[in-house]
Amino acid sequence: MSLKENINLSKLPQHIAIIMDGNGRWAKQQGEQRIFGHENGVRSVRDTVEAAAELGVKYLTLYAFSTENWNRPQEEVIALMQLLVHTISAETKTLNENNIRLQAIGDLKSLPQDCFNELQEAMEKTKSNSRTTLVLALSYSSRWEIIDAVKRIAEKVTTNTLSPQNITEQTINEHLCTAGMPEPELMIRTSGEHRISNFLLWQLAYAELYFTDKLWPDFRKEDFYEAILDYQNRERRFGKTSEQLISK
Ligand code: IPE
Ligand code: IPE
Ligand code: MG
């Protein structure tokens, strides 16, 4: 049986988040510039999005560019932004054909104008699609997101539209970029790094973390299935005991 057939569709994560890492090292292994790795990572994005849609995963969030990535060499940042503009405009048609909606989280206003415009256009054109939502985390970091949420909550308190006593988990959820999305149940990071790198700190509170040594440009559908199968073999206790879960 293939890996895909082993997946229990009734226990599929609704939301999978991925830190796509290792493009630079992949390029270096080939004796190429870092951007060559980013270019080759697009194929992995296509494969993963397709696999998620075929299985019926409702949300797939891809960490494509972090707030901290602005500190990379200028030429890499520019090349990445160009790749982004090009890829988004080239893939919109395929997204529509596959009934996939595009959304984005992050400080989108900090993106170069052409990139921002391309993104807005693609989101607008795909907004009625319902099979899977592809969420791109762009110029995103969790601390930026939390600061932004706190500012907006504080504003409501100042104007007396919200009382501090009424601030709940739901209030926080509603002010994050991910408002309305289910929490990721599975977070995958490629390239052998075992860290979160400022990604969805609040939302990943109870996510299962899966790490693979594969570099992102080598990541294929089978690797995605493997991560889901690993997830399905775990016991998610949410603070309870194993016995409590069994007796349910
Ligand atoms: C991930 O690959 C892509 C981005 C962060 C934009 P890297 O560019 O971080 O590749 P490594 O980690 O240096 O190999
Ligand atoms: C995290 O990867 C950000 C993205 C994948 C977009 P990095 O390569 O930037 O993370 P660190 O610096 O290794 O933690
Ligand atoms: Mg990296």
Side-chain angles (χ1 to χ4, degrees):
M1 255 213 301
S2 72
L3 286 179
K4 189 181 180 184
E5 287 162 27
N6 281 315
I7 293 175
N8 179 350
L9 294 177
S10 66
K11 268 180 70 186
L12 203 61
Q14 276 199 83
H15 187 172
I16 301 178
I18 307 183
I19 302 180
M20 312 184 287
D21 198 15
N23 296 352
R25 278 163 282 168
W26 187 89
K28 200 172 174 190
Q29 284 176 3
Q30 325 271 320
E32 298 281 352
Q33 302 289 317
R34 296 180 55 83
I35 189 68
F36 184 69
H38 299 314
E39 285 163 0
N40 279 276
V42 175
R43 159 94 203 263
S44 308
V45 171
R46 244 184 245 127
D47 250 49
T48 308
V49 173
E50 204 176 282
E54 282 167 3
L55 285 171
V57 173
K58 282 292 166 198
Y59 285 84
L60 177 71
T61 298
L62 302 179
Y63 203 5
F65 194 85
S66 74
T67 307
E68 289 76 22
N69 288 150
W70 289 113
N71 299 321
R72 289 194 176 190
Q74 198 59 17
E75 56 175 32
E76 182 174 346
V77 172
I78 291 170
L80 262 170
M81 289 300 145
Q82 281 170 352
L83 180 65
L84 215 64
V85 174
H86 176 78
T87 309
I88 292 169
S89 69
E91 298 292 326
T92 308
K93 194 165 161 268
T94 316
L95 292 176
N96 272 330
E97 283 164 3
N98 292 295
N99 197 11
I100 298 166
R101 173 171 68 162
L102 181 70
Q103 290 195 338
I105 55 171
D107 187 8
L108 305 182
K109 288 192 215 82
S110 69
L111 295 171
Q113 197 62 44
D114 57 343
C115 192
F116 180 81
N117 293 345
E118 210 55 69
L119 189 63
Q120 289 296 335
E121 199 181 318
M123 291 195 289
E124 183 60 32
K125 280 184 181 163
T126 61
K127 70 173 183 204
S128 312
N129 296 340
S130 57
R131 191 177 182 195
T132 293
T133 300
L134 168 62
V135 184
L136 290 183
L138 287 172
S139 191
Y140 173 88
S141 77
S142 203
R143 287 186 179 175
W144 166 83
E145 178 188 40
I146 291 169
I147 292 167
D148 186 64
V150 170
K151 280 182 189 162
R152 283 182 291 117
I153 293 170
E155 191 67 38
K156 288 184 185 170
V157 171
T158 314
T159 55
N160 286 324
T161 46
L162 179 66
S163 144
Q165 287 74 27
N166 293 335
I167 295 175
T168 60
E169 267 195 31
Q170 197 188 335
T171 317
I172 310 283
N173 282 329
E174 284 168 359
H175 288 82
L176 296 174
C177 305
T178 50
M181 301 178 193
E183 280 178 14
E185 293 107 318
L186 170 63
M187 196 287 289
I188 302 170
R189 183 173 189 150
T190 59
S191 90
E193 307 293 358
H194 295 185
R195 55 176 172 267
I196 306 290
S197 301
N198 218 347
F199 188 44
L200 303 173
L201 300 179
W202 169 276
Q203 297 89 335
L204 292 177
Y206 266 104
E208 295 297 330
L209 308 182
Y210 178 87
F211 300 99
T212 167
D213 287 338
K214 275 265 170 93
L215 302 175
W216 180 250
D218 289 328
F219 194 84
R220 291 287 170 271
K221 284 186 180 182
E222 294 297 306
D223 300 299
F224 187 65
Y225 300 148
E226 217 168 288
I228 295 175
L229 285 167
D230 191 276
Y231 162 87
Q232 293 191 330
N233 280 321
R234 299 187 190 186
E235 186 179 62
R236 306 189 71 208
R237 289 190 285 276
F238 299 97
K240 294 185 178 171
T241 68
S242 206
E243 290 70 24
Q244 283 178 299
L245 296 175
I246 293 161
S247 67
K248 235 184 19 174

